[in-house]
Amino acid sequence: MRHQHGKHQRAKGNPDCGDFQTLYTDVMTRTALDDRCVVLIGLMGAGKTTVGRRLAAIMDRPFNDADHEIERAAGRSVSEIFNDFGEAAFREGERKVIARLLDEAPMVLALGGGSFVDPQTRALVKERAVSVWLQADIETLATRVARRDTRPLLRDGDPLEILGNLLETREPAYAEADIRIDASAGNHQATAQIILAALKDWEAVQ
Ligand code: S3P
C-alpha cells in the first residue's frame, strides 16, 4: 500500500524527485559555455561593442561593455578619466570593473582594447570566460576609429601609426585568446554568427 502510494506520488510528480531530476538533467547537459562569459577583445575599432550586442542577442544573454561600466562607476567619460586621473588610474578601475563583471551571470562582455594586456585581467578571463579576439587590418581599424573622437590614446598623433604600434605591443597578449575571428568585414551580424559557430567548435573540444 505504501509502495503504491509512493508510485502514485511519483506518477503525479514528487516535488523532491522532480527537482532532483531537473537538477540532474541540468548538470548533465550543461556545457562549458553555459557557465562562462564570452569576452570580446581586440584593438579599438574592431567592433567589440557592436558585434558583442548582436552576439548577446543571438545567444539570449545579457551584454555589457566594460568601458561603459567604468564610465558609470566613475561618473565620467573614459576621456575625462584619462584627463583627470591619468591612464594608470583608468587601468586600475578597468581591472576592478572587469573582475566584478566576470563574477556576474554569464554574459557577453566587450572589453576595452588595452585591458587584456593586463596579466591579472587576462588570468581572470582565462579562468571564467571564453575569449574571442576580433582581428582586423590596421587600415580598417583606422577608418572605423575616425568616426568618433572619444578615444584618448588616439588624440595625439596619427591613428594608423598609433594602432600599428599598439598591435605590435599587444599582439602577444591578444594571441592568448581562445578564439580568433576576422572582423575586417563590416557586417556585424555575420561576424556574430561566425563567432557563435566558433564558440560551438570550442565547446565541442572542452
Ligand atoms: C583603449 C581602448 C578603449 C578604451 C580606452 C583605452 C585601449 O576601448 O578602453 O580608450 O587602450 O586600447 P575600445 O577598445 O572599446 O575603443
Side-chain angles (χ1 to χ4, degrees):
M1 188 61 190
R2 211 180 288 152
H3 179 68
Q4 268 184 354
H5 178 69
K7 257 174 128 178
H8 177 68
Q9 286 280 83
R10 249 199 314 281
K12 275 203 132 181
N14 179 325
D16 293 336
C17 186
D19 280 351
F20 174 74
Q21 193 66 48
T22 311
L23 200 69
Y24 179 77
T25 311
D26 192 44
V27 167
M28 295 312 281
T29 56
R30 282 194 87 71
T31 65
L33 198 55
D34 287 331
D35 297 323
R36 287 175 171 256
C37 281
V38 176
V39 160
L40 303 184
I41 64 158
L43 282 179
M44 296 173 267
K48 297 169 299 244
T49 303
T50 323
V51 171
R53 274 214 183 88
R54 294 212 160 68
L55 180 65
I58 303 172
M59 295 181 80
D60 196 21
R61 283 185 178 211
F63 170 77
N64 231 316
D65 177 272
D67 280 344
H68 177 75
E69 281 299 305
I70 296 160
E71 290 181 331
R72 225 161 55 106
R76 289 170 161 81
S77 69
V78 169
S79 277
E80 286 167 343
I81 302 172
F82 268 71
N83 277 341
D84 298 349
F85 305 113
E87 182 173 351
F90 171 78
R91 297 296 174 200
E92 198 187 318
E94 182 175 50
R95 193 182 308 121
K96 286 185 187 153
V97 165
I98 293 171
R100 173 172 62 75
L101 290 168
L102 288 173
D103 239 5
E104 293 180 10
M107 60 176 75
V108 175
L109 177 62
L111 297 191
S115 54
F116 201 65
V117 179
D118 179 83
Q120 258 173 274
T121 297
R122 210 159 61 242
L124 210 57
V125 167
K126 283 183 185 194
E127 188 190 308
R128 309 222 181 124
V130 192
S131 47
V132 182
W133 175 16
L134 296 192
Q135 292 180 298
D137 60 89
I138 296 296
E139 286 74 17
T140 302
L141 295 176
T143 310
R144 289 187 193 157
V145 295
R147 293 177 200 146
R148 285 195 291 134
D149 64 348
T150 52
R151 295 178 168 105
L153 292 183
L154 300 177
R155 270 186 317 223
D156 307 314
D158 172 23
L160 199 64
E161 198 183 321
I162 296 171
L163 286 164
N165 290 338
L166 286 176
L167 180 62
E168 210 173 303
T169 50
R170 293 176 176 178
E171 197 157 18
Y174 289 165
E176 291 185 36
D178 296 305
I179 294 168
R180 290 179 193 200
I181 296 290
D182 179 3
S184 297
N187 188 336
H188 297 307
Q189 187 67 21
T191 304
Q193 292 288 359
I194 292 168
I195 296 174
L196 188 65
L199 286 169
K200 287 188 176 150
D201 290 347
W202 173 87
E203 197 172 37
V205 295
Q206 297 310 302

